Amino acid sequence: MIRKNGRVTTSATDDLWGEAGPGSRRILEAALTAFAARGYHGASTRDIAAAAGMSPSAVYAHHRTKEDLLYAISLAGHRSALAAVERALAEEVTAVGRLRALVHDYTAWHARHHQLARVVQYELGALAPDHRDEILRLRRRTEEVVLDEIAAGIASGAFRTEDPGGVALAVLSLGVDVSRWYAPGGHHTPVSLGRRYATLVLAMLGTDHRSATAG
Amino acid sequence: MIRKNGRVTTSATDDLWGEAGPGSRRILEAALTAFAARGYHGASTRDIAAAAGMSPSAVYAHHRTKEDLLYAISLAGHRSALAAVERALAEEVTAVGRLRALVHDYTAWHARHHQLARVVQYELGALAPDHRDEILRLRRRTEEVVLDEIAAGIASGAFRTEDPGGVALAVLSLGVDVSRWYAPGGHHTPVSLGRRYATLVLAMLGTDHRSATAG
DNA sequence: ATAGTAACTATGCGAGTGCTTAGTTTTCTT
DNA sequence: AAGAAAACTAAGCACTCGCATAGTTACTAT
């Protein structure tokens, strides 16, 4: 349920699209579905327009090019992922709790938003160079958050590893790869996956996973 | 080193293409490069023909359709990956040694053949349904090898985990995701990555990674 | 009611798509 | 040397692509 200008929202993907109007939003959602299903090059602007219930040319009143659609989706997606990660950290104080929340929410984000994540993670190459650079800067910030968190846990003595960079790489890879294969309705859920991967990552870091859940 | 029809070859990607003739081989290699760089839908048959040094129609003397190219590449790639995994296991006897070799070689394969791996792992959706089904059967065999290996290590008491399925998922995901970001010339190599991920996975399994390397 | 604006549709251009057909050159066999 | 087979090229068909232009409808503000 979306209401605008006096706004009430309940869906999980809300305010992803920022200040975009309802027409623009329908197009972005149609483009997202199409890009996720068939890839950027495999989805035509006619597909997208039809899925949005419009004529092909109506798309261009809202978005200058097809690449602009991908750019808007990529930007919104990366911002959403980064926000999810930062929100996870904001609620925890211990090294174990923070990292567990980080891995859990990053993983769960990729499952819950598997369509968005797929586009965001696998269609980077279809972006114009300057747009790609901007997206890559956002991604690098997410990577730094993960690495910093692991480093902090090592500094405090909570984690023990000879390869913090490898663990960070693994955290990011495990999360991203979820969007490759995840499908709702299977025997995984965003939360179950988040929990399992968080436990595995804590094991990589030499913590006993039966210890501290919060506090 | 592979010998074929009196021919001696040393390159790492040899006999990937089976009994294909030299013309067909050039096309497959051009298609592989193009698919890896721009995706299946982003690569045109003219691109591929030009990269193979042929006219567009010459391609069709060797391969019936563009989708057939993808199918041949996918089949060769999955067979190669499965063979790499089985070869890794053939040389080790202990649970730790076997799993270390498995993770190492699966990861290194995705780095060393990052173009092939990318096509194989991310362009499945562009295959015709029956071709996709066949490829998925091959993939499932690889998944089973990983899961069986972990289960065997648990049964023998070498590994300790409450979530063998999660570890198997992680092993496969870590390996596959390498092909998304890996580029030669960076500060990773197939071997360095293989070693790091093998260590991380053994940590997930509750083994002290400073123990048994071989034997 | 009227004017202005935002949101749309119909139509289609020029380029590029996968693939075919017909014909030419090269290579192999004998 | 002659014939068959394999490997190619030139040209183009039928279609789809991203996107533009011109015109229509729906809505809003006064």
Side-chain angles (χ1 to χ4, degrees), chain A residues 83-95:
Chain A
V85 157
E86 283 169 348
R87 195 167 45 242
L89 291 179
E91 295 167 5
E92 300 285 338
V93 290
T94 68

Side-chain angles (χ1 to χ4, degrees), chain A residues 30 51 53 59 68 83 87 90 102 118 120 131 135 147 153 173 179:
Chain A
V59 170
D68 234 51
R87 195 167 45 242
L102 174 67
R118 218 185 330 257
V120 149
H131 287 166
I135 301 293
L147 192 55
S173 267
S179 64

Side-chain angles (χ1 to χ4, degrees), chain A residues 88-89 92-102 159 202 212-215:
Chain A
L89 291 179
E92 300 285 338
V93 290
T94 68
V96 168
R98 287 170 67 86
L99 200 79
R100 186 194 297 278
L102 174 67
F159 302 149
L202 287 175
T213 294

